[in-house]
């Protein structure tokens, strides 16, 4: 009722101490999201995301699953974001970036750091396979969508390699980042942007990749992945003179 819906998160409880990298990443993502929603709800922070309700365990035929439930406001999402929609999301994310991590519990900081490290280890392990898939695709049907298809893979490989570059400068200020902010996980209030009503962001989902990083991490990913092409090219892309 009143536009409220419920979202259920579930993960298999791997009781074996020697869990594999994939299982460890799934557990890390689950606990990252759970801990984030608990913290936001407990502290009544004005973040447009689901509110934590409860957690419990399901045991079935020798298998055990951990579950938690959130309540959220149902909304609509755009495939591509206008400049106005980008600004609305940026303002909401700024409230997360503005949180002083020095005031947060040491447990929260430790859990987020450890879980994200497990997730990054898994992502790093599958990068070669994903690059191979992308390479094969660029040799075929995907090439038609790029003006310079032969340059895509070298540039992508350079970006991937730079993540492990020892000379990469750490950000001077680290903030709480969503980690995977795109139009696909941003929901706006139903009927907003119609009849003159302002757009209102009511729900941001997929907090499994939350971590501490540069303030520009979320917004740059959002613009690159989700801005309308005309907005991205005319507002955010620069070219050498």
């Amino acid at each position: 009722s009143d536009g409220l819906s419920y979202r259920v998160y579930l993960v298999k409880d791997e009781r074996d101490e020697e869990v594999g990298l994939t299982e460890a990443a799934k557990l890390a993502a689950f606990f990252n999201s759970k801990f984030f929603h608990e913290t936001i709800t407990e502290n009544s922070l004005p973040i447009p995301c689901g509110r934590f309700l409860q957690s419990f365990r399901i045991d079935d035929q020798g298998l055990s699953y951990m579950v938690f439930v959130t309540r959220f406001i149902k909304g609509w999402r755009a495939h591509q974001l206008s400049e106005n929609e980008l600004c609305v999301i940026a303002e909401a994310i700024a409230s997360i970036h503005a949180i002083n991590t020095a005031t947060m519990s040491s447990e929260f900081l430790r859990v987020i750091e450890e879980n994200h490290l497990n997730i990054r280890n898994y992502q790093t392990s599958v990068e070669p396979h994903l690059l191979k898939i992308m390479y094969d695709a660029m040799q075929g049907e995907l090439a038609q969508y790029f003006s310079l298809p032969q340059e895509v893979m070298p540039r992508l490989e350079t970006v991937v390699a730079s993540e492990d570059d020892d000379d990469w400068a750490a950000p001077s200020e680290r903030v709480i980042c969503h980690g995977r902010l795109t139009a696909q996980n941003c929901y706006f209030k139903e009927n907003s942007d119609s009849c003159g009503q302002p757009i209102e962001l009511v729900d941001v989902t997929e907090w499994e990749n939350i971590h501490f990083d540069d303030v520009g991490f979320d917004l740059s990913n959002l613009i690159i992945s989700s801005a309308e092409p005309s907005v991205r090219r005319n507002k955010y892309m620069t070219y050498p003179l």
Side-chain angles (χ1 to χ4, degrees), residues 179-194:
R180 190 179 172 275
L181 190 63
T182 70
Q184 294 301 303
N185 46 46
C186 293
Y187 292 80
F188 299 95
K189 185 176 181 179
E190 297 286 358
N191 300 321
S192 63
D193 198 26
S194 63

Side-chain angles (χ1 to χ4, degrees), residues 88-98 176 178 181 204 207 218-219:
V88 169
I89 297 173
E91 289 179 359
I93 293 300
S95 63
I96 303 174
H97 293 166
I176 299 175
H178 177 279
L181 190 63
V204 178
W207 293 93
D218 281 335
L219 296 182

Side-chain angles (χ1 to χ4, degrees), residues 76-82 85 182-186 188 222 225-229:
W76 61 272
R77 61 184 178 183
H79 177 63
Q80 295 178 334
L81 300 171
S82 66
E85 290 162 348
T182 70
Q184 294 301 303
N185 46 46
C186 293
F188 299 95
L222 181 70
S225 68
S226 306
E228 293 176 348

Side-chain angles (χ1 to χ4, degrees), residues 3-211:
L4 292 177
S5 299
Y6 299 87
R7 187 175 288 121
V8 178
Y9 301 78
L10 177 147
V11 69
K12 183 180 177 182
D13 186 3
E14 300 289 350
R15 297 178 177 178
D16 186 355
E17 293 183 1
E18 298 297 328
V19 297
L21 197 56
T22 301
E23 290 73 22
K26 290 179 181 179
L27 287 168
F30 175 86
F31 283 112
N32 246 8
S33 183
K34 179 176 181 287
F35 208 27
F36 173 78
H37 284 96
E38 285 178 321
T39 301
I40 293 299
T41 304
E42 180 180 345
N43 294 280
S44 301
L45 298 178
I47 310 300
C49 65
R51 268 20 192 187
F52 180 85
L53 287 182
Q54 61 177 313
S55 61
F56 52 91
R57 183 184 298 273
I58 298 175
D59 294 307
D60 181 36
Q61 299 182 359
L63 297 177
S64 183
Y65 299 89
M66 293 177 288
V67 183
F68 76 91
V69 182
T70 62
R71 181 180 61 223
F72 66 97
I73 300 175
K74 190 175 182 179
W76 61 272
R77 61 184 178 183
H79 177 63
Q80 295 178 334
L81 300 171
S82 66
E83 185 174 9
N84 188 22
E85 290 162 348
L86 286 170
C87 290
V88 169
I89 297 173
E91 289 179 359
I93 293 300
S95 63
I96 303 174
H97 293 166
I99 297 174
N100 185 357
T101 55
T103 65
M104 309 192 80
S105 70
S106 58
E107 181 185 11
F108 178 86
L109 301 177
R110 178 186 61 80
V111 169
I112 295 300
E113 289 277 21
E114 291 180 356
N115 285 339
H116 188 254
L117 178 60
N118 284 331
I119 294 170
R120 281 298 301 139
N121 287 339
Y122 169 73
Q123 291 172 337
T124 300
S125 73
V126 300
E127 277 176 357
H129 177 63
L130 296 178
L131 286 173
K132 177 63 167 57
I133 294 175
M134 185 67 177
Y135 177 82
D136 292 341
M138 289 303 301
Q139 299 302 308
E141 58 187 25
L142 282 186
Q144 62 181 311
Y145 298 107
F146 295 86
S147 58
L148 297 171
Q150 70 278 8
E151 294 187 12
V152 172
M153 289 310 300
R155 293 183 181 184
L156 183 57
E157 290 168 350
T158 298
V159 171
V160 172
S162 70
E163 294 180 351
D164 299 321
D165 193 339
D166 293 335
D167 294 330
W168 186 269
S172 58
E173 297 289 340
R174 297 205 311 163
V175 300
I176 299 175
C177 290
H178 177 279
R180 190 179 172 275
L181 190 63
T182 70
Q184 294 301 303
N185 46 46
C186 293
Y187 292 80
F188 299 95
K189 185 176 181 179
E190 297 286 358
N191 300 321
S192 63
D193 198 26
S194 63
C195 301
Q197 296 185 27
I199 297 175
E200 180 182 352
L201 184 68
V202 294
D203 188 30
V204 178
T205 64
E206 300 183 30
W207 293 93
E208 290 79 5
N209 282 293
I210 181 176
H211 64 287

